[in-house]
Amino acid sequence: MPDAPAQSPKLLDQVRQTCRRRQYSYHMEKACVRWAERFACVHDPTHPRRLNEDDIRAFLGHLASGRNVAASTQNQALNALTERT
């Protein structure tokens, strides 16, 4: 459709584009996409554009207390979620 308005890329596509622009490995790209998916699922009713630093803190707290993950895993999640485009 040539007359269709241009839409902004979906969240996971934006994550992939950022990873590729930063020349991350394919495995790191997959990890970032999985963290973004998990983060979005935890905050399901809220659109990802409306989520902020407090939501990231809540997600990391959920990982620490609810999922009992290691500190290195929390760091990986934090780094994947705070990457700027």
Side-chain angles (χ1 to χ4, degrees):
M1 288 187 241
D3 296 328
Q7 293 182 349
S8 63
K10 301 286 184 187
L11 173 67
L12 298 181
D13 291 334
Q14 290 176 1
V15 171
R16 286 183 188 98
Q17 288 173 357
T18 300
C19 289
R20 290 174 187 167
R21 189 175 61 247
R22 292 174 181 248
Q23 299 180 344
Y24 288 167
S25 71
Y26 176 69
H27 295 290
M28 182 61 181
E29 177 183 328
K30 283 179 23 179
C32 288
V33 168
R34 284 193 306 261
W35 281 118
E37 288 173 333
R38 291 175 190 142
F39 178 65
C41 286
V42 167
H43 298 289
D44 189 33
T46 307
H47 191 278
R49 290 187 200 272
R50 292 199 157 144
L51 298 173
N52 58 29
E53 292 175 11
D54 293 332
D55 298 311
I56 292 174
R57 282 189 200 99
F59 178 66
L60 295 175
H62 163 75
L63 291 177
S65 61
R67 305 290 291 180
N68 199 28
V69 300
S72 61
T73 304
Q74 293 173 48
N75 281 333
Q76 184 184 35
L78 175 64
N79 290 329
L81 295 174
T82 57
E83 286 295 322
R84 300 289 183 223
T85 56

